[in-house]
Amino acid sequence: MATRQEKWFQKWMDERARHESGIKKTKSKVQGNHVRPRAWTEAYLEDPDGYDDLDIEAAERIMPKGETEWRQAKIIRSPLHEGIGEAKAPRANSQSLAQGTVVEIAAGVYTVRTADEVYRCALRKTLRSDHSGYANMLAVGDEVTISHNGHAQGMVEAILPRRSALARPDAVTQYKQQIIVANVDQLLIVASWREPRFWPELVDRYLIAALRHNLAPIVAINKVDLAEDQHELAAAAAAYRAAGCTVLLTSATTGLGIDTLQEVLVGRTTALAGLSGVGKSSLLTAAEPGLNLKVGEVSERKHEGRHTTTQVTLHPLARGGFVVDTPGIRDMGLAGLKREELLRFYPEFSPFAGECQYGDCTHTAEPWCAVKSAMRSGRLSRMRLESYWKILADL
Ligand code: GDP
Ligand code: ZN
């Protein structure tokens, strides 16, 4: 079901797209200029029910020059960042605007990469996090509009709506969420086939975390050069493909699958997950020579008397896209997941589940379970079903 907020968000996105394509409005529905020139975002925040297109059009028609550009970047409630304030237009005329991505945040300095420059920016006061419910309002991965005067320094003026956000409770103020990284498109789950041995339950946990956070999952089974049984390897790959994942078979040692990995990374922001030693660094270095990844989980570090997140960095790729080195995704996999929701992450069970004796069969101890029969007759992966059982037992 599309919530009111989602509908509104869609409207906002459409509106933005229209601006970006430069299509002029033909005719306004509102005659005269008696309408108060207030931002439509403001109108929505005041009265979401009363909000409609008329307000947008009226406001747009009488907007001062330059305002349309600003509107594109207004910070507003979106399903993924709630309650953020609005940006102000830059004061000085000598300043210009640019759109970019926050690639690093350290000690209050926001490093923003635009199409052709890197700027060290401060954050406009109105964008600070005081009442946002977030410990940090702006995160690495956020797309922003900055103002700058041509030199390497600038000011973050506005944050664009997020496609995704990985958050977790803040270390200091537990009631607040800390956004670790925004706008990640996909999660590259790296698991080695051997050394360490493939661990389906962990892959499934990452997979669930990805799907719950709106990231497309990609499973890279690495170190396939160490496989003794090709059939077993192929069966594992097929099981994850049946679950709807993109599966890559890779070897950083022989170079197998590296070209496919490169294709998958282009133009997207990819976070990494996987045990230490599975070959994340080796794989990424093979795909993108020169990439200096320090792969690990986000950790807490004392910084000037208070805890802050250790640095999360977006690494730009030569052919476009980013890789983010510290997703911190392990902690957020199953938090709050209900037992009955788990099956949603095992879509390949559903064609069989309809045949189970009980409508609410959990495919564990029930008699006449068609999912278990499918597994016994080889139509369903034993590996996936066993992993489902283990995770269910934990919920
Ligand atoms: P990370 O901790 O996930 O970043 O793993 P590393 O990239 O540091 O790799 C851990 C070890 O596995 C290193 O000794 C690598 O040389 C080795 N390794 C990585 N990929 C492969 C592979 O495809 N095949 C084999 N045989 N070894 C690999
Ligand atoms: Zn069943």
Side-chain angles (χ1 to χ4, degrees):
M1 192 192 78
T3 64
R4 198 173 65 207
Q5 221 172 47
E6 281 162 1
K7 280 187 203 145
W8 171 84
F9 180 65
Q10 190 53 50
K11 209 178 257 184
W12 192 90
M13 292 299 279
D14 293 347
E15 186 68 9
R16 215 180 112 195
R18 240 184 296 164
H19 277 294
E20 282 169 357
S21 62
I23 297 166
K24 292 272 181 303
K25 280 254 163 59
T26 45
K27 201 169 167 227
S28 168
K29 287 181 203 163
V30 179
Q31 300 300 319
N33 57 2
H34 59 276
V35 181
R36 195 180 136 229
R38 62 177 185 172
W40 50 279
T41 52
E42 195 187 310
Y44 172 80
L45 292 175
E46 274 170 20
D47 178 14
D49 288 316
Y51 163 86
D52 65 11
D53 286 336
L54 237 66
D55 252 28
I56 297 183
E57 294 189 0
E60 182 180 64
R61 215 167 41 77
I62 51 179
M63 235 180 252
K65 198 162 173 286
E67 178 71 15
T68 41
E69 283 83 338
W70 274 102
R71 284 241 327 252
Q72 295 176 22
K74 283 272 161 59
I75 298 168
I76 29 171
R77 266 169 215 261
S78 88
L80 289 163
H81 47 140
E82 298 241 356
I84 301 184
E86 284 189 28
K88 296 280 185 293
R91 286 121 218 228
N93 288 338
S94 60
Q95 300 228 312
S96 35
L97 299 178
Q99 208 157 296
T101 306
V102 178
V103 294
E104 201 170 321
I105 300 176
V109 178
Y110 299 80
T111 307
V112 175
R113 177 178 285 266
T114 66
D116 36 36
E117 284 289 345
V118 174
Y119 296 91
R120 290 164 60 77
C121 299
L123 184 61
R124 180 74 70 207
K125 209 190 240 162
T126 49
L127 301 184
R128 293 187 190 154
S129 48
D130 306 349
H131 305 292
S132 67
Y134 289 105
N136 57 332
M137 188 113 79
L138 185 57
V140 166
D142 263 321
E143 284 163 15
V144 294
T145 302
I146 61 166
S147 58
H148 63 89
N149 51 16
H151 303 293
Q153 289 179 345
M155 176 75 82
V156 176
E157 301 283 355
I159 312 170
L160 276 70
R162 292 189 180 123
R163 302 189 296 278
S164 70
L166 302 180
R168 57 150 188 210
D170 184 52
V172 187
T173 46
Q174 290 292 334
Y175 63 93
K176 284 187 173 182
Q177 288 276 300
Q178 177 164 50
I179 302 158
I180 299 165
V181 56
N183 295 327
V184 175
D185 299 304
Q186 56 192 13
L187 182 68
L188 179 65
I189 302 165
V190 182
S192 49
W193 184 246
R194 293 289 178 265
E195 299 179 17
R197 182 173 278 270
F198 191 72
W199 183 7
E201 187 191 340
L202 184 67
V203 173
D204 285 11
R205 283 172 184 259
Y206 282 132
L207 185 56
I208 293 166
L211 295 170
R212 290 181 85 201
H213 287 89
N214 204 21
L215 315 183
I218 298 157
V219 177
I221 305 180
N222 190 38
K223 307 199 189 183
V224 297
D225 54 288
L226 303 179
E228 6 8 71
D229 182 346
Q230 293 300 323
H231 291 293
E232 198 193 343
L233 175 61
Y240 282 99
R241 289 196 180 110
C245 293
T246 300
V247 179
L248 310 178
L249 296 178
T250 60
S251 168
T253 306
T254 67
L256 183 92
I258 300 301
D259 49 349
T260 321
L261 176 60
Q262 288 168 330
E263 292 310 316
V264 158
L265 297 176
V266 172
R268 300 182 183 126
T269 299
T270 307
L272 288 174
L275 283 178
S276 144
V278 296
K280 295 182 292 299
S281 316
S282 311
L283 273 183
L284 268 296
T285 311
E288 179 85 9
L291 193 69
N292 178 27
L293 272 188
K294 291 184 294 294
V295 182
E297 294 284 337
V298 171
S299 60
E300 247 51 68
R301 185 198 281 164
K302 277 233 172 190
H303 177 72
E304 288 168 9
R306 53 166 296 184
H307 290 279
T308 50
T309 307
T310 30
Q311 289 185 6
V312 175
T313 306
L314 285 194
H315 298 272
L317 301 172
R319 290 168 65 198
F322 296 96
V323 170
V324 59
D325 53 3
T326 48
I329 197 137
R330 186 169 56 195
D331 310 334
M332 43 191 140
L334 304 181
L337 187 70
K338 296 197 187 69
R339 284 174 67 83
E340 54 278 15
E341 286 172 336
L342 183 60
L343 273 173
R344 188 155 70 80
F345 303 101
Y346 292 82
E348 74 272 33
F349 295 3
S350 64
F352 307 105
E355 304 296 314
C356 293
Q357 172 92 330
Y358 300 99
D360 58 352
C361 188
T362 63
H363 323 305
T364 50
E366 295 91 343
W368 308 111
C369 171
V371 170
K372 282 185 283 181
S373 320
M375 180 269 280
R376 278 188 222 104
S377 63
R379 287 171 295 153
L380 192 70
S381 161
R382 171 182 286 273
M383 176 190 82
R384 283 275 289 171
L385 186 56
E386 284 180 350
S387 157
Y388 162 80
W389 288 337
K390 284 182 191 149
I391 294 173
L392 188 68
D394 252 18
L395 294 178

